[in-house]
Amino acid sequence: MSASRHGSLIAGSVITGALVAVAVVSRLWTPGSPTRLAIADKLKAPLVHGLLGTDQLGRDVLSLLMVGAWNSLSIAVVAVALGAALGVALGLTAAARGGLVEALVMRAADVVFAVPPILSAMLLGAFLGTGPRTAVTAIATFMVPVFARLSVGAGRRVLARDFCLAARAAGKGQLAVTMQHVLPNIAPQIAVQVALQLGLAFLTEAGLSFLGFGLPPPAASWGRMLADAETYLGVAPWLAIAPGAAIALAVLGFNLIGDGLVDLLDPRER
Amino acid sequence: MGRLAFLVGRRVGSLMLTLVAVSALIFLVMDVLPGDPAAAMLGTSASEETLAALRHAMGLDLPLIVRYGRWIGGFLSGDLGTSLTYGVPVAGLIAERLAVTLPLAVLAMTLSVALALPLGVVAATRKGGLADRLATLFAQLSVAVPGFWVGLLLIAGLAVGLGLMPAGGFPGWNAGVCAALKALVLPTVALALPQAGVLTRVTRAAVLEVMDEDFVRTARAKGLTRRAALWHHVVPNALPPVITIAGLQFTFLIAGAVLIENVFALPGLGRLAFQALSQRDILVIGDVVLLLAALTIAVNFLIDLGYLVLDPRLRAATS
């Protein structure tokens, strides 16, 4: 049981580590050029031209995939970092203040949560234009209520514990108690949520760029590679395989880390 | 009963506030969206006077709050305005598209529950065994795999490859229920799979938790067979968290539908909003987004309410 518990964490870390490694390597080296067009070599099958073949413009699919890893990873990380920072700050403020502040934060969380990121991206896309800003804003906006709700509940439970009351009684201010006592105690739960939300952010980013709300061409993106592949499904079905598998693997990695952390932090969990 | 009425009243109040806030937010975003509907209707050659006259006729020169009031008032009375690009009432347009999105969402939810409940129950009762491992693997994979990619693979395999299924499009319900349903089969599978993964995990966890409860031990001690205890005591008590998560997943189901409709070229609400965006038909976008958001809020509200009515313990707990 203990082996399988650590199994999730290890498997997740290996997958995610590989993803990060590929993303970093793509900054320095790719097997072919992800931007140079070579129409003569278009739609070549895997192994005929490069490991994974070429796309409709003759670009090397493996190279596009590697660069796409960096692009998706940076959008997901920035979006989750923004969403988590803002959400935790709002949630802890609500937990510390209670009353009207808490009611307002929770209500605002309901409001934002009712608009899925794909829809808010559509609204934002018409306003900010399509591009990484729209994708990051739409994903981060959706993450804020997730982290706010989590830290309101968790924060309130910690605040009610004796050591927080003691710290308050000893004369520490609310901000100091929150930063020194509450935040460290809810950090593990936030870490779990960060891992799971990174997976969700990857999925959403892929969906957004599939619809054309991600990075504009010629930047490589897994979602748009799938959108392109749909056009050539009849002649080059293999184009649809690698980017989708890459997305699934990346999400699986983050989810396994999240599950592994849950098991590690809470021994009562199965 | 008085307490229940009070709690329900409070929840209705908070529902209304949420709806007002969501609609105000959407309206504000619509308002700052670039593009002048009057200019879009008249084209680039229109004179400044004609533009001003049309803006006045359309009420675009009224204060923000008045326009918001008109929009919401229209929404509540079923008048959603006229689409700029289609030139028809948005209400009719949405009703037409809802006839695709709603069956798709209901079918996908049904399929995902039909997959997840048995898988989750079997996994929990055979915890650690082969069945559990397989169910957990299925759940892990289907949560990670993007639904729109599943859609693409289904099209590549079953539609383009084997020619068994239509690759996309929708013949309309007038073409016969069979033809219409056939067009929805692959989209339903693609939309249901990720939901099924989430619900399998929730079902498994919920069943495991209830199996540990005292009343289940009592039932077993009274001589009930494992199977009888499972179906009469464990599963009914494990359902509430599953239903809650299913409700929360509704947001993701809607988001998924936008993608899936685009993969399969289904004329649903998601595709309508997407097309409206590229044509800068701002009213249609706002109406669709508000409708979907209101639907999400309503589903969560009903689940919340159902709990309150069904579980007396909650009424005491929320005091």
Side-chain angles (χ1 to χ4, degrees):
Chain A
M1 186 175 153
S2 163
S4 83
R5 168 178 304 171
H6 292 295
S8 297
L9 197 55
I10 293 168
S13 306
V14 168
I15 295 173
T16 307
L19 173 73
V20 174
V22 167
V24 171
V25 167
S26 80
R27 306 295 290 169
L28 307 167
W29 173 84
T30 50
S33 164
T35 45
R36 199 192 55 235
L37 311 184
I39 304 297
D41 292 327
K42 69 174 182 178
L43 300 176
K44 287 279 195 304
L47 297 176
V48 173
H49 199 291
L51 196 59
L52 295 175
T54 57
D55 75 351
Q56 73 280 5
L57 299 172
R59 293 173 296 186
D60 180 44
V61 171
L62 181 61
S63 307
L64 284 172
L65 216 55
M66 289 174 67
V67 176
W70 174 269
N71 291 339
S72 297
L73 196 64
S74 39
I75 288 184
V77 168
V78 172
V80 173
L82 281 175
L86 202 59
V88 171
L90 280 172
L92 286 183
T93 310
R97 287 292 169 84
L100 186 65
V101 176
E102 188 185 340
L104 275 177
V105 169
M106 296 305 271
R107 218 36 70 231
D110 287 350
V111 170
V112 174
F113 202 69
V115 185
I118 298 267
L119 290 183
S120 55
M122 283 190 180
L123 280 170
L124 286 168
F127 170 44
L128 294 174
T130 56
R133 257 198 319 172
T134 302
V136 166
T137 315
I139 299 171
T141 309
F142 193 73
M143 298 289 159
V144 172
V146 175
F147 284 97
R149 281 178 177 172
L150 170 77
S151 35
V152 169
R156 258 213 318 226
R157 277 193 295 279
V158 177
L159 276 170
R161 301 259 298 271
D162 288 340
F163 61 87
C164 280
L165 294 176
R168 287 287 280 156
K172 272 195 188 167
Q174 210 161 40
L175 184 66
V177 172
T178 304
M179 296 306 285
Q180 291 167 12
H181 298 291
V182 182
L183 196 56
N185 274 292
I186 68 167
Q189 280 155 285
I190 296 174
V192 170
Q193 207 55 42
V194 163
L196 296 176
Q197 294 301 322
L198 274 172
L200 194 61
F202 246 83
L203 271 181
T204 312
E205 192 274 330
L208 288 176
S209 44
F210 180 76
L211 289 177
F213 292 111
L215 286 167
S221 114
W222 294 349
R224 207 185 39 253
M225 287 171 82
L226 284 177
D228 290 341
E230 188 178 14
T231 316
Y232 298 94
L233 220 45
V235 279
W238 63 83
L239 282 179
I241 293 174
I247 298 166
L249 205 60
V251 179
L252 184 68
F254 288 119
N255 286 349
L256 285 174
I257 290 184
D259 290 351
L261 284 178
V262 169
D263 292 341
L264 201 68
L265 298 171
D266 187 357
R268 287 164 304 172
E269 287 280 330
R270 288 152 286 272
Chain B
M1 204 59 205
R3 169 121 198 102
L4 181 63
F6 168 72
L7 286 173
V8 170
R10 208 170 66 174
R11 278 189 174 51
V12 171
S14 113
L15 167 83
M16 291 301 168
L17 276 179
T18 310
L19 282 176
V20 169
V22 169
S23 58
L25 198 69
I26 293 171
F27 189 77
L28 275 177
V29 176
M30 278 163 63
D31 197 68
V32 295
L33 284 182
D36 178 356
M41 279 175 88
L42 291 176
T44 44
S45 58
S47 72
E48 201 48 50
E49 291 80 38
T50 337
L51 270 176
L54 184 64
R55 275 200 205 104
H56 183 72
M58 291 169 78
L60 292 172
D61 53 351
L62 292 168
L64 190 67
I65 185 84
V66 177
R67 282 183 289 134
Y68 171 72
R70 283 190 170 191
W71 182 52
I72 288 301
F75 210 95
L76 293 177
S77 61
D79 172 17
L80 306 182
T82 304
S83 158
L84 285 177
T85 44
Y86 297 91
V88 294
V90 183
L93 210 54
I94 285 184
E96 215 173 85
R97 302 304 184 99
L98 211 54
V100 178
T101 301
L102 215 54
L104 177 63
V106 171
L107 284 172
M109 196 45 114
T110 312
L111 178 62
S112 64
V113 171
L115 280 171
L117 274 186
L119 276 175
V121 172
V122 166
T125 49
R126 289 171 180 68
K127 191 182 150 195
L130 183 66
D132 185 19
R133 274 156 203 263
L134 287 178
T136 307
L137 183 72
F138 163 78
Q140 252 334 337
L141 287 180
S142 58
V143 170
V145 167
F148 64 92
W149 183 47
V150 175
L152 278 183
L153 294 183
L154 287 174
I155 294 177
L158 296 178
V160 177
L162 300 173
L164 291 175
M165 285 285 170
F170 189 70
W173 293 102
N174 293 333
V177 176
C178 270
L181 281 179
K182 200 173 173 188
L184 290 181
V185 170
L186 296 185
T188 300
V189 173
L191 189 54
L193 215 55
Q195 310 293 325
V198 175
L199 292 181
T200 302
R201 302 182 65 167
V202 177
T203 309
R204 179 182 179 274
V207 169
L208 278 176
E209 194 162 327
V210 177
M211 284 201 311
D212 270 351
E213 296 269 358
D214 287 339
F215 63 82
V216 177
R217 207 165 304 136
T218 310
R220 289 278 285 141
K222 273 167 56 190
L224 240 63
T225 60
R226 226 178 112 80
R227 183 179 290 263
L230 182 70
W231 291 111
H232 294 293
H233 296 280
V234 176
V235 172
N237 280 292
L239 280 181
V242 179
I243 296 170
T244 309
I245 300 296
L248 285 176
Q249 285 298 110
F250 194 77
T251 310
F252 296 101
L253 197 71
I254 291 296
V258 175
L259 282 163
I260 298 296
E261 283 171 9
N262 276 293
V263 173
F264 288 93
L266 289 176
L269 277 183
R271 197 165 168 77
L272 176 67
F274 184 67
Q275 287 166 334
L277 180 67
S278 51
Q279 292 153 342
R280 288 280 187 276
D281 200 339
I282 293 165
L283 189 63
V284 173
I285 305 174
D287 282 341
V288 173
V289 173
L290 178 58
L291 186 76
L292 293 179
L295 216 57
T296 309
I297 296 170
V299 166
N300 286 311
F301 169 75
L302 288 177
I303 288 170
D304 209 21
L305 209 63
Y307 264 119
L308 216 54
V309 173
L310 291 178
D311 194 341
R313 285 171 301 183
L314 277 179
R315 285 176 231 164
T318 47
S319 57

